[in-house]
């Protein structure tokens, strides 16, 4: 996953090799490297075993200047120096310009390391790591970047213990294997070649400004629903794998989804979350994603927990109140609907087209201000072609493989959210229905007031705190349909109605 650069610069991953042998490198050895900046700031990065005698460490410097390093643990005492330059003027990747994501001071939103506001706009390509090829990922990533997505939910390994098929991701029902003993409910026999292949896939995503959302081992319905290993793996093995993910992929943009599709109380989740917190020096977001019928509040007061994601099942119903319930939980954590209904799941037309756009804006305004998530049937399984057998029919899009599913209409509407909100002061915005007659609204006091209406129309305003300047956007294509400045605080936001609208009232307009 190392990215070739002329010289090391801030927020760009650099990789180097440590020398030494250990009898059981993955299961028993623990190796790390301490980095110290000339200012005295210190960061610790775990190293990872990469086969044979190969130990590697990956590091992204958050500030320029001289960094010295010293190894510790099983390979203690090796030292070196890195001279880090500033980001080049031609940089386009926001994660290299502004730094990796972390949580805002208020805990509700994403921000870059330099404080720049961010909104997660994620796709769901769970099976990409063990099914896709680099050529396929390049095609997929180019499409998602063009549409405005900035993250992708991934199961890092195929989680079903009883799944069978050729060890060839280009053949029907074939897949790559991350751990040879996962089929027995263990994570001890790591397949180095699998993760070397995954390095390339994740590198392609990051090059397209897509953050990998790394889920260790699923806890609910996995790839084919064939008894997932997540709730079975011993917690210590699960935690060790979480540390490995931080070591291998944590010097690049990442989110850690330590629990997925479970109750949240599985012992593996707390063990994994604590391990991520212990080893992630960049404080990238860590959280839980729940199955549909579970109240999403496990570990609400845990220091390692940054976000809670519900899901609303796969029946094509809008249920933003589940997001609102999470938003009210204390202590404060960021929230989102991590899995609305997959587009065209089960039958063509289910949750399709603008349904996805309305769903995303509704969840955002209900308090899901960490961001929005989209999913397409047949894409999340990475179904190789429309006739590939072996998948649960309920979750497939009829007549579609992953390539056809990439083109589903709804993805464009969800991706558009990042374009519309770009540059706005969205940090820690909160639901606010008190300043206007608007069922779906968000506000940042004195700076931003945002309303979404499915059918548009004038918006009566009743609060002097709403900025007078406004622009009105069609959320289907991002076009600005009106701009202006209200003459008085009680004047309505004008719109003739008849189409979806997003109203943005911004100080300074």
């Amino acid at each position: 996953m190392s990215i070739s650069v002329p010289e090391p610069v801030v927020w760009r991953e650099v990789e180097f090799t440590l020398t030494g042998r250990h009898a059981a490198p993955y299961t028993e050895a623990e190796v790390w490297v301490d980095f110290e900046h000339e200012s005295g700031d210190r960061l610790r990065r775990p190293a990872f075993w990469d086969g044979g005698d190969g130990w590697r460490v990956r590091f992204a410097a958050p500030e320029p200047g001289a960094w010295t390093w010293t190894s510790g643990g099983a390979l203690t005492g090796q030292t070196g120096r890195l001279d880090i330059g500033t980001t080049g003027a031609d940089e386009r990747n926001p994660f290299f310009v502004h730094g990796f994501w972390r949580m805002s001071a208020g805990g509700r939103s994403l921000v870059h390391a330099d404080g720049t506001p961010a909104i997660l706009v994620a796709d769901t390509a769970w099976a990409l790591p063990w099914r896709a090829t680099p050529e396929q990922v390049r095609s997929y990533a180019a499409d998602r970047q063009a549409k405005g997505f900035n993250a992708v939910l991934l199961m890092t390994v195929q989680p079903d213990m009883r799944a069978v098929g050729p060890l060839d991701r280009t053949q029907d029902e074939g897949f790559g294997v991350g751990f040879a003993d996962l089929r027995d409910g263990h994570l001890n026999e790591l397949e180095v070649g699998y993760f070397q292949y995954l390095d390339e896939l994740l590198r392609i995503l990051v090059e397209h400004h897509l953050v990998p959302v790394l889920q260790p081992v699923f806890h609910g319905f996995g790839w084919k629903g064939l008894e997932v290993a997540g709730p079975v793996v011993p917690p210590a093995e699960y935690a060790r794998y979480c540390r490995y993910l931080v070591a291998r992929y944590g010097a690049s943009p990442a989110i850690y989804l330590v629990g997925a599709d479970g109750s949240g109380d599985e012992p593996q989740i707390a063990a994994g979350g604590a391990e991520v917190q212990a080893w992630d020096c960049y404080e990238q977001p860590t959280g839980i994603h729940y199955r549909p019928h579970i109240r999403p509040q496990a570990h609400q007061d845990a220091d390692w927990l940054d976000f809670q994601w519900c899901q609303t099942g796969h029946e094509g119903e809008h249920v933003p109140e589940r997001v609102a319930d999470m938003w009210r939980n204390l202590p404060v954590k960021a929230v989102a609907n991590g899995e609305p209904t997959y587009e065209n799941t089960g039958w063509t037309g289910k949750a399709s087209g603008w349904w996805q756009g309305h769903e995303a804006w509704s969840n955002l305004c209900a308090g899901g201000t960490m961001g929005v998530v989209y999913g397409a049937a047949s894409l999340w399984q990475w179904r190789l072609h429309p006739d590939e057998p072996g998948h649960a029919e309920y979750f497939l899009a009829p007549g579609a493989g992953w390539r056809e599913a990439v083109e589903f209409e709804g993805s464009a509407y969800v991706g558009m959210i990042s374009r519309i909100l770009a540059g706005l002061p969205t940090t820690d915005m909160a639901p606010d229905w008190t300043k206007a007659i608007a069922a779906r609204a968000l506000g940042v006091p004195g700076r931003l007031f945002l309303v979404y209406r499915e059918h548009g129309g004038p918006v009566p305003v009743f609060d002097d705190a709403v900025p007078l300047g406004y622009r009105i956007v069609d959320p289907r294509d991002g076009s600005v349909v009106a701009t202006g400045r209200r003459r008085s605080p009680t004047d309505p936001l004008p719109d003739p109605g008849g189409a979806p609208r997003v109203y943005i009232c911004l100080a300074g307009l």
Side-chain angles (χ1 to χ4, degrees):
M1 193 177 171
S2 294
I3 300 172
S4 177
V5 293
E7 62 175 316
V9 295
V10 291
W11 294 115
R12 297 293 294 268
E13 179 188 277
V14 295
E15 177 187 292
F16 54 90
T17 301
L18 303 174
T19 58
R21 177 183 292 273
H22 192 281
Y26 176 71
T27 58
E28 295 181 14
E30 191 172 282
V31 179
W32 62 84
V33 175
D34 289 318
F35 294 86
E36 183 169 352
H37 187 253
E38 58 191 66
S39 67
D41 292 342
R42 300 188 69 182
L43 297 174
R44 174 171 288 185
R45 287 285 298 143
F48 63 93
W49 177 66
D50 201 35
D53 295 338
W55 282 87
R56 303 186 189 279
V57 64
R58 293 172 175 172
F59 175 67
E63 55 184 320
W67 291 80
T68 56
W69 59 267
T70 304
S71 65
L75 299 179
T76 190
Q78 300 179 43
T79 62
R81 173 182 167 125
L82 293 170
D83 292 305
I84 305 296
T86 57
T87 302
D90 61 343
E91 292 282 6
R92 296 183 179 89
N93 193 314
F95 300 99
F96 301 152
V97 175
H98 301 294
F100 303 160
W101 280 340
R102 60 181 59 178
M103 301 312 301
S104 61
R108 293 292 192 189
S109 302
L110 295 174
V111 294
H112 289 273
D114 68 358
T116 300
I119 297 286
L120 174 96
V121 181
D123 192 23
T124 310
W126 292 118
L128 178 153
W130 68 87
R131 297 228 80 195
T133 65
E135 178 186 9
Q136 293 169 353
V137 175
R138 287 188 189 95
S139 172
Y140 164 79
D143 177 273
R144 280 349 195 198
Q145 181 185 17
K147 287 176 178 172
F149 287 89
N150 57 24
V152 186
L153 276 59
L154 305 170
M155 303 182 198
T156 58
V157 293
Q158 195 289 112
D160 289 349
M161 293 186 289
R162 294 190 290 110
V164 295
L167 297 179
D168 182 347
R169 58 184 70 215
T170 68
Q171 294 187 38
D172 283 5
E173 300 191 67
F175 56 94
V177 173
F179 288 88
D181 56 346
L182 183 143
R183 62 179 179 270
D184 302 318
H186 286 281
L187 301 175
N188 294 317
E189 299 176 20
L190 181 136
E191 297 285 351
V192 171
Y194 174 87
F195 290 96
Q196 292 171 340
Y197 197 101
L198 184 58
D199 286 352
E200 174 67 6
L201 304 186
L202 299 193
R203 183 188 63 80
I204 293 167
L205 295 178
V206 172
E207 284 180 347
H208 289 82
H209 310 179
L210 297 167
V211 176
V213 181
L214 302 173
Q215 205 296 306
V217 187
F218 229 54
H219 290 84
F221 188 99
W223 183 33
K224 297 184 177 182
L226 300 174
E227 193 179 0
V228 290
V232 177
V233 170
E237 295 178 19
Y238 195 89
R240 182 177 60 214
Y241 180 44
C242 288
R243 181 171 72 247
Y244 186 84
L245 292 174
V246 172
R248 189 154 200 140
Y249 302 116
S252 192
I255 287 178
Y256 302 104
L257 195 61
V258 293
D261 204 36
S263 69
D265 292 317
E266 295 86 353
Q268 297 83 5
I269 293 175
E275 195 76 2
V276 170
Q277 183 187 40
W279 289 101
D280 174 28
C281 63
Y282 303 112
E283 299 181 345
Q284 300 201 74
T286 303
I288 305 174
H289 170 55
Y290 295 81
R291 62 172 62 109
H293 57 281
I294 295 298
R295 187 167 183 81
Q297 58 181 13
H299 309 293
Q300 188 76 23
D301 60 352
D303 289 341
W304 57 262
L305 183 75
D306 295 315
F307 65 85
Q308 303 274 39
W309 288 355
C310 70
Q311 63 168 299
T312 46
H314 306 284
E315 298 304 316
E317 298 173 322
H318 298 295
V319 198
E321 55 265 35
R322 294 195 187 176
V323 176
D325 281 347
M326 286 193 300
W327 188 85
R328 298 184 186 99
N329 289 340
L330 295 174
V332 165
K333 305 293 180 182
V335 301
N337 183 349
E339 203 171 0
T341 302
Y342 295 115
E343 188 165 13
N344 293 317
T345 190
W347 46 270
T348 301
K350 188 176 187 179
S352 65
W354 179 245
W355 187 100
Q356 295 288 340
H358 176 70
E359 171 78 350
W361 283 104
S362 297
N363 286 320
L364 189 73
C365 291
T369 54
M370 184 175 181
V372 297
V373 180
Y374 166 81
S378 291
L379 172 61
W380 74 262
Q381 304 98 323
W382 210 265
R383 191 186 194 191
L384 298 187
H385 57 82
D387 298 315
E388 186 188 18
H391 299 277
E393 291 293 330
Y394 178 81
F395 287 112
L396 290 175
W402 76 268
R403 293 182 187 275
E404 291 78 15
V406 163
E407 301 297 332
F408 289 166
E409 179 186 358
S411 62
Y413 301 132
V414 178
M416 185 60 62
I417 288 179
S418 70
R419 311 288 195 211
I420 294 171
L421 299 182
L424 296 179
T426 55
T427 302
D428 291 325
M429 61 184 178
D432 188 347
W433 305 281
T434 66
K435 294 179 174 59
I437 297 179
R440 298 178 178 89
L442 293 162
V444 178
R447 303 190 67 191
L448 174 68
F449 185 67
L450 182 149
V451 174
Y452 164 66
R453 276 193 166 177
E454 185 177 9
H455 303 294
V459 178
V461 180
F462 299 101
D463 197 300
D464 293 354
V466 176
L468 296 177
Y470 67 85
R471 64 174 174 260
I472 302 174
V473 178
D474 186 332
R476 296 169 299 181
D477 59 13
S479 61
V480 177
V481 299
T483 61
R485 186 175 177 85
R486 294 178 299 125
R487 290 174 298 178
S488 75
T490 57
D491 282 352
L493 291 164
D495 184 73
R501 291 290 183 261
V502 172
Y503 311 74
I504 299 169
C505 300
L506 184 65
L509 275 183

